[in-house]
Amino acid sequence: MTLQNTLRHHRHLVELGSLLATAGAADAFADAFGARRDGVAVLICLGIALIVTTVGHHVWLRRSDHAPPHAAKAAETADALDAAVTGVVWRVRTEIDNTPGRLAVLAGALAAAGANIHGLDAHPGPAGTVVDEFLVETPPDTSAQQLCAAIRAVGGRATRAVPTDLLALVDAPTRALDLAARLARRPDALEAVLADLLEAERVELGPADADLEHLADGTRLVLRGPDGTAVTVSRPGLPFTVVERSRARAVLDLAAAHSAARERGC
């Protein structure tokens, strides 16, 4: 149930509680000294208790610690995307020569494989190359091998295709701002924010060592955390790029700024 539906449900419960209390009060005035006096009291108490409980739950849900706004927005966004997307969403990444026309060739190869391109992100690669990342939707029977083979056939290198979440289709700046706001509300959510940002399988905090700030083996990114600890982000199957390392570094810098502000009492 979405937050909006829950709050609407609460309003209905408050109205019901008010009705019960009002009915009990009216009956009490009409039959103040009758045999049903105990029943009237119970009815009034039940109505008041229902109102108090529902209002309390309403306030509890509105607090960011229990029902952060991003959760409701994410659920609504996921519902909208789910209605618009009928196939499988893939994150396809390949390295190509940085020459005119190569992107058009890649797009044509993906289209020939039955893929509909929803998004594109270009990452700098080694000298003279670029790493292109596509978000594509394919029919359910399309495999990662088919997508990779289509791209390799037109010159793509180090090609990988992994299924991804529907929320990957959300506008990138909007998603980044939402994650930043989430970190501001919940500084203890650093690991979850990094995992969402990079679609990582695991984020671990551990003691610092002498070899921080590096791409350990392509699929494991090691960075220095806000308190000097080592933050290790793992994503088997899809190596990190220099751009993704910069994004993770920006999140850690933001976390460090929030930590410093809390120490100053801001």
Side-chain angles (χ1 to χ4, degrees):
M1 178 181 293
T2 65
L3 179 60
Q4 184 177 4
N5 289 337
T6 301
L7 298 181
R8 187 183 300 113
H9 181 61
H10 285 174
R11 287 195 295 270
H12 293 162
L13 289 177
V14 169
E15 291 171 1
L16 176 59
S18 300
L19 179 62
L20 291 174
T22 302
D27 196 59
F29 278 107
D31 200 10
F33 302 101
R36 297 178 57 197
R37 185 171 53 187
D38 292 341
V40 170
V42 170
L43 189 60
I44 294 174
C45 290
L46 177 62
I48 294 174
L50 183 58
I51 294 172
V52 171
T53 302
T54 303
V55 170
H57 191 204
H58 180 93
V59 173
W60 183 83
L61 279 178
R62 294 302 292 266
R63 291 180 56 189
S64 60
D65 287 347
H66 297 290
H70 81 273
K73 290 189 293 184
E76 292 174 1
T77 302
D79 289 343
L81 290 173
D82 189 52
V85 176
T86 58
V88 178
V89 179
W90 299 86
R91 189 178 294 277
V92 182
R93 183 176 291 177
T94 189
E95 179 185 305
I96 60 171
D97 294 331
N98 192 13
T99 56
R102 297 308 301 167
L103 180 58
V105 172
L106 282 181
L110 287 170
N116 182 27
I117 299 174
H118 285 284
L120 168 66
D121 195 7
H123 299 212
T129 68
V130 63
V131 177
D132 283 336
E133 180 179 276
F134 297 88
L135 288 174
V136 303
E137 179 189 355
T138 68
D141 57 352
T142 302
S143 68
Q145 290 76 15
Q146 289 173 298
L147 290 172
C148 291
I151 291 179
R152 292 192 191 103
V154 295
R157 301 181 295 273
T159 304
R160 290 176 172 82
V162 295
T164 188
D165 191 270
L166 285 175
L167 290 177
L169 300 180
V170 175
D171 175 64
T174 300
R175 188 180 185 193
L177 290 170
D178 187 61
L179 289 173
R182 178 179 172 187
L183 185 61
R185 290 190 298 267
R186 295 287 304 275
D188 59 334
L190 173 61
E191 295 165 76
V193 168
L194 278 173
D196 286 350
L197 175 69
L198 301 174
E199 295 191 22
E201 181 178 293
R202 184 180 301 107
V203 178
E204 299 174 315
L205 304 182
D209 55 36
D211 190 21
L212 282 179
E213 300 288 328
H214 64 283
L215 293 165
D217 60 2
T219 62
R220 194 163 60 93
L221 175 64
V222 182
L223 297 166
R224 187 182 299 277
D227 55 358
T229 58
V231 179
T232 303
V233 188
S234 302
R235 189 178 63 191
L238 193 64
F240 295 104
T241 65
V242 174
V243 170
E244 288 179 313
R245 174 182 173 178
S246 297
R247 292 170 180 171
R249 179 71 266 165
V251 168
L252 292 173
D253 288 345
L254 180 61
H258 284 310
S259 178
R262 290 196 306 274
E263 291 178 359
R264 294 195 302 268
C266 298

